[in-house]
Amino acid sequence: MKSRNWVRLFLSTLFIGGIITILLGFILKWSEYKELFITMNVTEILSIAFWLLGLGCIFSIISQMGFFAYLTVHRFGLGIFRTVTLWNGAQIILIIFVFFDLIYLRYKFFAESGDSIFPYILLTVFTFLFSCVVAYMKKRQTNKAAFVPALFFMFVITTIEWFPALRVNEADWLYLMLIPLLICNAYQLLILPKLTGEKNKNA
């Protein structure tokens, strides 16, 4: 891929991450920020938006680092396992493992006595279903073999990128980081063939 396309991918992903985080930040904290909009406190609104923009750019960079790391891991996986079938099988096992851990380990370490496991299941299922939708779009865009690698990237790699917020386990931070990561990762995954001009790849 040409250097100008790498720059385009970097800047567009950075922009998407920043804008999504600004919008999401105000939505999640609307009860705190709505007074600023009612009184039209432009200075305060812009300062908060600028802070959220910086945060979104950080999330975007984490997303891009994860994407390029995945491209490398994918090639190594194909080389080690020799066939797409075996490599896809290994990725499916890891997907199942991460799905279980996102529910069980988070509930075990963070749930207090009497807490329901349902919120932990709900967030994991949401992340998985979103990943499935993006993987299906990737399959339609390229070929059937692309579904599992795309799902692996969207679910497993996103979870790894999401780890700082998972450690904190504060609801607003969980969503504030997860949504931009998912959108940035989906964007990169789906836009890459258009930038490279290649079709019918396995990832």
Side-chain angles (χ1 to χ4, degrees):
M1 186 167 65
K2 296 180 181 179
S3 58
R4 66 180 181 181
N5 286 335
W6 283 119
V7 174
R8 177 186 170 188
L9 178 63
F10 173 78
L11 293 178
S12 58
T13 307
L14 201 68
F15 175 79
I16 290 171
I19 295 301
I20 293 298
T21 304
I22 290 173
L23 295 175
L24 192 61
F26 280 115
I27 291 171
L28 290 173
K29 294 286 189 178
W30 180 245
S31 60
E32 298 178 19
Y33 297 148
K34 65 179 180 180
E35 188 65 29
L36 298 177
F37 287 90
I38 294 174
T39 59
M40 291 301 293
N41 191 335
V42 177
T43 302
E44 190 68 21
I45 292 172
L46 289 177
S47 65
I48 295 170
F50 184 76
W51 179 77
L52 289 170
L53 176 64
L55 201 60
C57 288
I58 293 173
F59 295 158
S60 171
I61 291 172
I62 292 172
S63 167
Q64 294 185 63
M65 290 172 61
F67 183 59
F68 293 124
Y70 165 73
L71 293 177
T72 303
V73 169
H74 182 62
R75 293 304 166 191
F76 272 118
L78 288 173
I80 293 172
F81 288 92
R82 303 293 182 179
T83 66
V84 173
T85 302
L86 288 176
W87 173 226
N88 280 354
Q91 290 180 96
I92 290 172
I93 292 173
L94 289 173
I95 290 168
I96 295 171
F97 179 77
V98 171
F99 187 94
F100 173 79
D101 281 353
L102 263 182
I103 297 173
Y104 175 74
L105 289 183
R106 287 187 62 232
Y107 182 75
K108 179 180 179 181
F109 285 109
F110 296 112
E112 297 180 358
S113 179
D115 283 354
S116 171
I117 197 173
F118 181 73
Y120 297 87
I121 296 175
L122 186 63
L123 190 54
T124 301
V125 170
F126 164 77
T127 306
F128 181 75
L129 291 179
F130 185 95
S131 301
C132 285
V133 171
V134 175
Y136 176 76
M137 294 170 64
K138 181 67 175 181
K139 183 185 77 170
R140 291 289 301 274
Q141 185 186 52
T142 54
N143 57 49
K144 293 181 180 180
F147 181 83
V148 172
L151 180 59
F152 178 85
F153 169 67
M154 287 300 304
F155 188 66
V156 176
I157 302 301
T158 298
T159 300
I160 294 172
E161 296 168 349
W162 191 28
F163 187 71
L166 289 173
R167 289 186 61 186
V168 176
N169 198 49
E170 203 277 323
D172 286 344
W173 278 104
L174 286 172
Y175 290 107
L176 187 63
M177 189 173 190
L178 175 63
I179 303 302
L181 285 177
L182 285 174
I183 293 175
C184 286
N185 284 343
Y187 171 75
Q188 291 178 97
L189 192 66
L190 298 175
I191 200 67
L192 186 62
K194 297 179 181 179
L195 295 178
T196 59
E198 297 178 351
K199 298 290 183 181
N200 298 321
K201 294 294 182 180
N202 290 331

